Amino acid sequence: MLINVSGHDPQMTLMSDYGEFRRYVQQHYILAERFEYTFFEYATTRKALEVYAHHDLLPLRPNLAYQNEVLLQAVRLSDPAPASGSTLTVDARWQALGQARRDYHASALLVDAGGRQWAEAHGPLQNPQGDPTSTWFTGEVGWARYRLQLNPALPAGDYHLVLLPYCRGSGFVLPPAA
């Protein structure tokens, strides 16, 4: 299922029952992709689309809960073995477990076994309309894309990808649930 979620394009988002429609879709289908495109060659605005499927299409599914507020459902890497100096794109699907008390951002970090950090990226956790996590309904799903510029001195080896939600400005990091 393909849904136009552009806030500036009222085809879907200004429907009187859009909120109920979105809840239904997110409860019965799985968010598989979110992308933006320019409809016309010289257009100044981009349209945002979400793709929903019956079965999960993202390969990594950690289902890691951060307290009782957000869940990291799934992750996809642009390249499972990126070269040093390249850009690694990480797509992450987040879900609200309940009413979040704060507006969260997330850090994506690439670290080695010794804990040394080799790349990082940050971004807000938002729904397609740009609403922060404190406004999400329970069960709402959001999509985040992180672009990590890998250090040119990155040696070959195994690394860990760490995704941590945090509150910008306060330094509060939401710990994973025990």
Side-chain angles (χ1 to χ4, degrees):
M1 176 183 311
L2 187 65
I3 300 176
N4 181 346
V5 293
S6 299
H8 58 272
D9 189 353
Q11 292 175 345
M12 299 280 297
T13 57
L14 292 182
M15 294 186 325
S16 61
D17 61 347
Y18 177 73
E20 291 81 24
F21 171 73
R22 185 168 173 76
R23 279 186 194 88
Y24 177 85
V25 168
Q26 290 200 335
Q27 290 170 354
H28 293 88
Y29 297 91
I30 299 168
L31 180 60
E33 179 70 64
R34 185 173 193 283
F35 62 93
E36 294 183 357
Y37 74 99
T38 304
F39 189 66
F40 296 107
E41 183 178 351
Y42 301 106
T44 58
T45 58
R46 298 177 57 79
K47 296 188 184 289
L49 298 174
E50 288 185 340
V51 179
Y52 289 86
H54 281 291
H55 304 287
D56 204 341
L57 303 176
L58 297 186
L60 306 172
R61 291 185 286 283
N63 284 320
L64 180 59
Y66 292 88
Q67 302 218 335
N68 285 325
E69 297 199 31
V70 293
L71 173 76
L72 176 59
Q73 283 187 329
V75 176
R76 177 178 54 220
L77 306 177
S78 61
D79 184 349
S84 61
S86 67
T87 300
L88 174 65
T89 301
V90 177
D91 290 323
R93 188 175 62 225
W94 297 88
Q95 182 179 35
L97 294 174
Q99 181 64 44
R101 295 182 298 271
R102 297 178 171 98
D103 295 331
Y104 293 108
H105 284 63
S107 294
L109 310 168
L110 189 68
V111 297
D112 62 22
R116 183 173 178 197
Q117 182 178 314
W118 290 91
E120 73 177 278
H122 305 273
L125 301 184
Q126 298 175 327
N127 66 13
Q129 288 72 44
D131 299 328
T133 51
S134 63
T135 65
W136 290 12
F137 59 83
T138 299
E140 184 163 3
V141 177
W143 189 271
R145 176 165 284 159
Y146 309 96
R147 288 184 176 85
L148 288 86
Q149 184 61 49
L150 303 184
N151 187 316
L154 179 75
D158 293 331
Y159 294 86
H160 300 281
L161 176 66
V162 179
L163 293 166
L164 292 172
Y166 67 93
C167 289
R168 203 164 122 187
S170 73
F172 173 75
V173 174
L174 190 61

